[in-house]
Amino acid sequence: MFIDSHCHLTAKEFDADREEVLQRALDAGVHAMVCPGTTIEDSRRAVELASKYDSVYACVGVHPHEAAKAGDRMLEELRELSAQPKVVAIGEIGLDFHYDFSPRDVQERVFREQLDLARERNLPVVIHTRESMDRTLAIVEQVLENDGSWRDDQTFVSRYPHPKGVFHCYPGDLTTAWRLLGLGFSLSFPGIVTFKNSGSAKEVAGAIPIEHILLETDSPYLAPVPLRGKRNEPANIPLIAGAIASLQGLSASDVARATNYAALKLFGIGTVGAPQFTYTLRDALYVNLTIRCNADCIFCDRGGDAIIKGINLKIEKEPTAEEVMAEIGDPTRYKEIVFCGYGEPTIRLEDMKTVARWVKQRGGRTRLNTNGHGNVINKRNILPELVGLIDAMSISLNATDPEEYGRLMRLNGPTFFNAMLDFAREAVKLFPRVVLTIVDIPEIEKPQAMAIAREVGAEFSVRLYF
Ligand code: SF4
Ligand SMILES: [Zn+2]
């Protein structure tokens, strides 16, 4: 099931067969479509369409191309329209210095006014920017500086900034992309990610965490390969999801689940699944034995919604070893069984060992993702007990300095930093594959972290923060 977060269903290109287009979308698994407005008239049509079809949601706004024609009553009319049910955002709004169909100062004024309306209505925004990223960003940053409370009453509790909007058909580079994520914006990519020459879109869509990507067709424009040049329609979303999946190294269903959650957080469309203690990512099965942990990392969402890539890990009751084994079934169906989740697996050492032994007996492979505090938690050296049960181990290095380590994980830095390094040194002797990982945040010095991994004798990898 997919969501097309940006399709101009009101376009005249659909006048002849709109009904069939919507049906084809449903048949292709696109269960929700968000139709932006480009003028007051168009916004009204989007609202009408949304009231007529369950699968359609509307945004209301004046596109930068149309800014000069916005008229004195623009805000009043948009305010009224935005109160209609199924209006999920103000959009599409922004700046377009490529075509310059409206004078730039008018574009800026109309953009600002609509940002203010979004704040007033506590709605997210859908932003169009073309050859105007610097100005767009400056304006958005200013708005956020002046009013930190916009969308802050979200029901989602998360370490991520509250979702404020989406930069649709994202045209910028990766550095700007990270900045936008930090401000609480998602990015969406249409069929451009399927083009051979996609500018920076492929690079960005492959590099940023999937949690911050929305799928869009931008129908009737920008049809994906192999339909390039034809009229585009929401039923083509799976082609775009497939392209993003291969850029991200995920399956199309991982992409669907994660992007649907992004759309839920931003637009309030859809629901979160029930908590689960196993989940698949790519071709591995992850086992969430516990959401308890001895640490409380500042970048961990364990205490928040505990949702990873759209998967709800907020389990209320920890699963028994038997329950986990029943869920795994035949372990050889997966590349590996990973003890991970939102919590420290070695807190449930005995159950983890039971499951791991059972997996190994059935020819499966196992990996442990740990903070490296297992020996402190269990008050003994647990590593020899895991030999033959665990094939690979990822240990979070998190920081290169003990004090920093303590600050990030909110525990006694020197004690636990040394415990973690001792654990890693010991693990390298006993297990064929040990990787030390850090989170990709600016405070952490990568070369230094790499040097520590080398000194310990482990491999090294960087995982994403957002
Ligand atoms: S060690 Fe892992 S599970 Fe524990 S708080 Fe840190 S990130 Fe979360
Ligand atoms: Zn558009």
Side-chain angles (χ1 to χ4, degrees), residues 104-129:
R104 293 185 181 182
D105 58 328
V106 179
Q107 289 190 41
E108 288 204 12
R109 177 179 51 78
V110 169
F111 181 36
R112 280 178 193 278
E113 285 173 355
Q114 295 183 94
L115 282 169
D116 284 342
L117 176 66
R119 287 197 299 110
E120 176 194 319
R121 303 277 305 116
N122 207 30
L123 283 168
V125 287
V126 175
I127 293 182
H128 168 109
T129 178

Side-chain angles (χ1 to χ4, degrees), residues 228-440:
R228 197 171 173 181
K230 300 213 172 87
R231 182 187 74 169
N232 197 7
E233 60 176 73
N236 297 331
I237 275 283
L239 290 169
I240 294 160
I244 291 178
S246 66
L247 291 169
Q248 287 265 340
L250 293 169
S251 70
S253 68
D254 292 339
V255 168
R257 190 172 52 195
T259 55
N260 284 354
Y261 180 58
L264 169 63
K265 284 207 293 187
L266 193 62
F267 297 132
I269 298 172
T271 49
V272 189
Q276 47 194 98
F277 55 83
T278 65
Y279 58 101
T280 52
L281 272 184
R282 301 178 191 98
D283 36 17
L285 185 81
Y286 286 73
V287 177
N288 186 29
L289 282 173
T290 180
I291 52 170
R292 287 181 289 150
C293 185
N294 64 311
D296 182 20
C297 297
I298 58 169
F299 47 78
C300 180
D301 227 1
R302 198 166 52 84
D305 281 345
I307 290 173
I308 288 186
K309 293 182 169 62
I311 305 151
N312 183 357
L313 297 181
K314 196 98 188 171
I315 48 171
E316 266 158 32
K317 186 188 143 287
E318 292 178 343
T320 62
E322 288 67 33
E323 284 168 332
V324 173
M325 293 183 295
E327 196 99 337
I328 295 173
D330 174 7
T332 60
R333 287 188 295 156
Y334 306 101
K335 194 177 125 226
E336 55 184 354
I337 307 295
V338 187
F339 298 100
C340 174
Y342 255 150
E344 174 47 40
T346 59
I347 286 180
R348 298 208 46 210
L349 182 66
E350 292 312 318
D351 290 303
M352 183 179 77
K353 278 161 56 184
T354 305
V355 176
R357 187 174 301 114
W358 179 89
V359 169
K360 293 308 297 169
Q361 281 163 356
R362 276 154 192 79
R365 291 189 55 79
T366 55
R367 176 154 60 99
L368 167 62
N369 287 359
T370 174
N371 63 14
H373 301 167
N375 289 351
V376 184
I377 292 167
N378 292 284
K379 301 190 182 74
R380 64 173 189 273
N381 180 7
I382 63 168
L383 286 161
E385 302 167 34
L386 299 176
V387 173
L389 306 183
I390 297 291
D391 296 308
M393 212 176 274
S394 300
I395 304 170
S396 313
L397 174 61
N398 282 338
T400 54
D401 167 78
E403 296 300 334
E404 178 73 356
Y405 186 78
R407 193 185 68 76
L408 284 175
M409 298 186 78
R410 292 194 275 230
L411 37 66
N412 183 313
T415 305
F416 282 93
F417 188 69
N418 287 330
M420 177 271 300
L421 283 183
D422 287 346
F423 188 87
R425 284 197 190 95
E426 194 62 29
V428 168
K429 291 185 211 149
L430 297 174
F431 299 89
R433 240 201 118 191
V434 178
V435 187
L436 285 188
T437 65
I438 58 163
V439 177
D440 194 7

Side-chain angles (χ1 to χ4, degrees), residues 6-8 36-38 63 92 126 128 168-169 216 218-219 221:
H6 194 109
C7 45
H8 295 273
T38 54
H63 193 284
E92 62 181 286
V126 175
H128 168 109
H168 114 88
C169 193
E216 65 158 312
D218 204 13
S219 299
Y221 320 107

